[in-house]
Amino acid sequence: MLLFALGFLLAILQPSTGQFPRVCANMESLLSKECCPPWDGDGSPCGELSSRGSCQNILLSQAPLGPQFPFSGVDDREEWPSVFYNRTCRCEGNFMGYNCGECKFGFSGLNCTERQVKTRRNIFQLSTSEKNKFLAYLNLAKNIPSQDYVIATGTFTQMNNGSNPMFRDINVYDLFVWMHYYASRDTLLGGSSVWRDIDFAHEAPGFLPWHRAFLLMWERQIQKITGDENFTIPYWDWRDAEDCVVCNDEYMGGRHPTNPNLLSPASIFSSWQVICTRSEEYNSQQALCSATSEGPIRRNPGNNDKSRTPRLPSSAEVEFCLSLTQYESGPMDKMANYSFRNTLEGFADPQTAISNPSQSGLHNALHIYMNGSMSQVQGSANDPIFVLHHAFVDSIFERWLRRHRPMLEVYPAANAPIGHNRENYMVPFIPLYRNGEFFKPSRDLGYDYAYLQEPALDSFQDFLTPYLQQARQIWAWLLGAAVFGGIITAVLTRHISACWKKKAGTSSEIQPLLIESEDYNNITYQSNF
């Protein structure tokens, strides 16, 4: 009870990160298209009086998009968030948040000047008390309302262009489930028509940066509602696993004794209700998910379609994926070949990197293997295994970044599917984040992974690989330089030796002793690099 009371108090007193800020979910803000709430510290919009930020026009990317979405002006998510707001807080320095009331990821302190790096750990390396605390935090998030954010229950058109706001409250965990749904939902075209080939969080370059930002926001929200500033998301290393080793009542819930599609009654997650899983129903009604309960979590791991996903991913497949040098390629969607992103996401074969959407590899494989709530994209975050899974996927992304050290320019600036260009704002986050902001090493964002800190062979190999690749590209030049240098050295050595012998032979009797015998034992030798 103390944990619940503390969490509720903290949720009221502290700002959070999410979707529509409650203070902007009203007719006045929608009609003025401005979301610049005051910061409590000085009462000014965006904390301007304290130089934290100011209310500014949104700067939208003008880069061309790919051909996958042939419409314009039919989806609220186009040029996010301009349909709802075209003025928001632009924060300065290390400040962040919808009112500039928070610190950027990786910073803390009253003035956000203290650097910090927290470590995400393997869930099986947590102590019993740490593991139980993690499960309790999940359950708390499912049962405590978000004080700062609400969700939209209608499109902007259905809101009569802002004069009839349609928003509702939601608990902290389901807020993130709804955001994942909203980013991946189909476009409603009117009548019974929809456009399915659209996704602002998957099947394109933004897949990895989007989920990296999503997990950071989710992690911070748990830190706030619990008061545990050191909390980090654990990960499940599923490489070479023969079955779902977290699917038991000690961890994420075992199998129901009489219904294999449900969770064991002994698990706290068996009482959870899912939301946003009925996409066909929403499409037929031309409606958004309103976050009403739609039944229990469903999961039947391993009883999936084996022709699509025969097993969980292997270490060899992960290593092959990490060897790919191109982050993105070709059409930059699920048909991309030799793309690290597409191979890790699971639309390309993890042994050849050739696109094959009929199969599900790596990231996708685990979703399909779970054979339940996690297997449908829009509602997959309902199952709490989602966060363990995506934390590990993010760690693979991190390994690739460390191994290949790409410049920001490697992330596509133009011609990616809608919402996925480097400077596009991520849907549906407010405050605003661009895709390129999360295409950087995790330590720059304030976190690391325990298994990447170990001085293991893999870590050394990750460090050495880019230099070996560069050496292979210039090996011929290096060989020539070495041969030339060897010849020059030999000639100079022979010449100097001859001169020295000549000089020594003619005047050895007048050469002073270099070292007096009594000083010999006092000499120290130093090596300078």
Side-chain angles (χ1 to χ4, degrees):
M1 290 300 295
L2 177 61
L3 181 60
F4 275 77
L6 177 61
F8 188 77
L9 178 62
L10 286 165
I12 291 176
L13 294 179
Q14 296 192 39
S16 62
T17 305
Q19 218 259 328
F20 289 97
R22 184 182 296 275
V23 292
C24 297
N26 54 67
M27 184 173 65
E28 179 182 358
S29 296
L30 292 174
L31 292 179
S32 67
K33 290 187 176 295
E34 182 173 296
C35 182
C36 296
W39 175 53
D40 291 341
D42 62 14
S44 66
C46 312
E48 186 170 9
L49 293 179
S50 300
S51 300
R52 298 176 77 95
S54 58
C55 191
Q56 299 284 333
N57 292 332
I58 293 171
L59 300 176
L60 296 172
S61 171
Q62 301 301 313
L65 301 171
Q68 293 85 353
F69 187 70
F71 305 98
S72 178
V74 298
D75 194 311
D76 291 347
R77 299 168 296 178
E78 296 177 53
E79 298 188 328
W80 180 262
S82 61
V83 169
F84 296 95
Y85 313 107
N86 55 31
R87 285 175 61 82
T88 60
C89 288
R90 188 179 305 167
C91 304
E92 303 294 337
N94 296 329
F95 298 116
M96 186 184 79
Y98 65 81
N99 63 354
C100 302
E102 300 184 16
C103 297
K104 282 184 176 179
F105 300 116
F107 292 89
S108 62
L110 290 176
N111 295 310
C112 302
T113 55
E114 301 171 17
R115 290 282 310 185
Q116 58 179 7
V117 177
K118 299 173 183 177
T119 302
R120 293 178 179 173
R121 298 159 58 199
N122 190 316
I123 191 169
F124 293 113
Q125 293 176 346
L126 302 182
S127 67
T128 300
S129 61
E130 290 172 330
K131 179 261 298 178
N132 290 338
K133 183 168 65 174
F134 168 62
L135 300 181
Y137 286 178
L138 285 171
N139 207 39
L140 173 63
K142 187 72 171 180
N143 289 281
I144 191 170
S146 173
Q147 296 299 307
D148 290 285
Y149 281 86
V150 293
I151 63 167
T153 57
T155 66
F156 195 67
T157 298
Q158 291 167 349
M159 295 185 195
N160 196 21
N161 297 327
S163 61
N164 180 33
M166 298 172 65
F167 300 97
R168 66 162 291 180
D169 294 336
I170 193 168
N171 68 60
V172 170
Y173 188 93
D174 285 350
L175 170 66
F176 287 86
V177 177
W178 189 91
M179 287 195 292
H180 190 266
Y181 147 80
Y182 190 81
S184 55
R185 69 174 179 85
D186 301 331
T187 293
L188 307 177
L189 295 175
S192 59
S193 299
V194 298
W195 185 262
R196 301 180 189 277
D197 190 15
I198 185 170
D199 195 314
F200 289 82
H202 306 86
E203 303 181 15
F207 166 68
L208 292 168
W210 190 96
H211 285 83
R212 172 163 283 196
F214 180 86
L215 290 180
L216 280 167
M217 289 185 281
W218 190 89
E219 194 169 59
R220 178 168 288 190
Q221 188 68 172
I222 297 298
Q223 293 166 358
K224 288 175 179 176
I225 65 173
T226 62
D228 184 354
E229 295 183 354
N230 295 315
F231 168 78
T232 55
I233 299 171
Y235 58 87
W236 170 29
D237 183 349
W238 34 248
R239 291 174 296 180
D240 303 315
E242 295 184 0
D243 54 29
C244 180
V245 292
V246 296
C247 294
N248 54 60
D249 291 338
E250 183 181 358
Y251 287 93
M252 310 309 291
R255 201 183 299 269
H256 193 283
T258 60
N259 187 340
N261 294 314
L262 300 179
L263 301 186
S264 163
S267 169
I268 60 172
F269 303 118
S270 64
S271 63
W272 280 26
Q273 291 284 302
V274 301
I275 64 170
C276 302
T277 62
R278 300 174 181 172
S279 58
E280 294 306 315
E281 180 180 317
Y282 313 144
N283 289 347
S284 65
Q285 298 174 357
Q286 295 286 294
L288 299 184
C289 165
S290 61
T292 55
S293 297
E294 297 175 349
I297 294 174
R298 303 182 70 83
R299 188 197 302 156
N300 192 346
N303 289 322
N304 56 290
D305 181 358
K306 295 296 194 298
S307 65
R308 184 178 182 88
T309 304
R311 54 172 171 73
L312 290 171
S314 69
S315 296
E317 290 170 338
V318 171
E319 291 305 314
F320 172 77
C321 182
L322 287 166
S323 73
L324 298 171
T325 58
Q326 294 185 85
Y327 178 75
E328 199 53 89
S329 66
M332 297 184 276
D333 57 19
K334 61 184 178 183
M335 300 306 296
N337 294 324
Y338 308 112
S339 156
F340 166 74
R341 186 276 313 162
N342 203 35
T343 305
L344 178 54
E345 189 169 359
F347 292 108
D349 190 304
Q351 297 177 356
T352 65
I354 300 298
S355 172
N356 186 3
S358 66
Q359 300 291 304
S360 295
L362 296 180
H363 156 265
N364 288 349
L366 195 102
H367 279 279
I368 299 300
Y369 180 88
M370 288 301 160
N371 194 32
S373 299
M374 264 191 74
S375 305
Q376 189 246 7
V377 175
Q378 296 177 17
S380 59
N382 278 293
D383 190 326
I385 290 178
F386 179 96
V387 294
L388 302 179
H389 170 44
H390 272 276
F392 189 65
V393 171
D394 183 73
S395 78
I396 298 173
F397 176 36
E398 180 61 23
R399 287 185 65 188
W400 187 86
L401 290 172
R402 295 186 188 186
R403 177 178 294 192
H404 299 282
R405 290 172 168 77
M407 301 292 287
L408 177 59
E409 289 71 21
V410 167
Y411 188 98
N415 301 313
I418 185 170
H420 288 266
N421 283 343
R422 186 195 308 153
E423 297 302 314
N424 287 151
Y425 289 119
M426 296 178 175
V427 175
F429 304 145
I430 299 175
L432 305 178
Y433 304 112
R434 298 184 190 273
N435 290 307
E437 293 179 45
F438 293 85
F439 191 75
K440 63 173 64 173
S442 66
R443 293 181 66 86
D444 292 351
L445 296 166
Y447 71 100
D448 201 352
Y449 287 95
Y451 83 106
L452 299 184
Q453 296 175 325
E454 299 170 356
L457 179 60
D458 285 348
S459 298
F460 180 72
Q461 180 179 348
D462 287 349
F463 172 80
L464 200 59
T465 295
Y467 300 102
L468 292 176
Q469 290 173 344
Q470 293 178 22
R472 280 197 294 268
Q473 295 173 3
I474 60 173
W475 70 271
W477 183 89
L478 290 174
L479 181 61
V483 172
F484 181 75
I487 294 172
I488 295 299
T489 301
V491 172
L492 290 175
T493 300
R494 181 175 298 179
H495 179 71
I496 293 172
S497 177
C499 293
W500 179 258
K501 287 181 179 180
K502 181 178 179 180
K503 184 176 182 181
T506 58
S507 56
S508 58
E509 68 280 1
I510 62 173
Q511 296 298 314
L513 292 174
L514 297 178
I515 304 172
E516 297 293 336
S517 58
E518 62 269 23
D519 295 329
Y520 185 83
N521 293 327
N522 295 327
I523 294 177
T524 60
Y525 291 85
Q526 295 179 341
S527 296
N528 296 309
F529 292 90

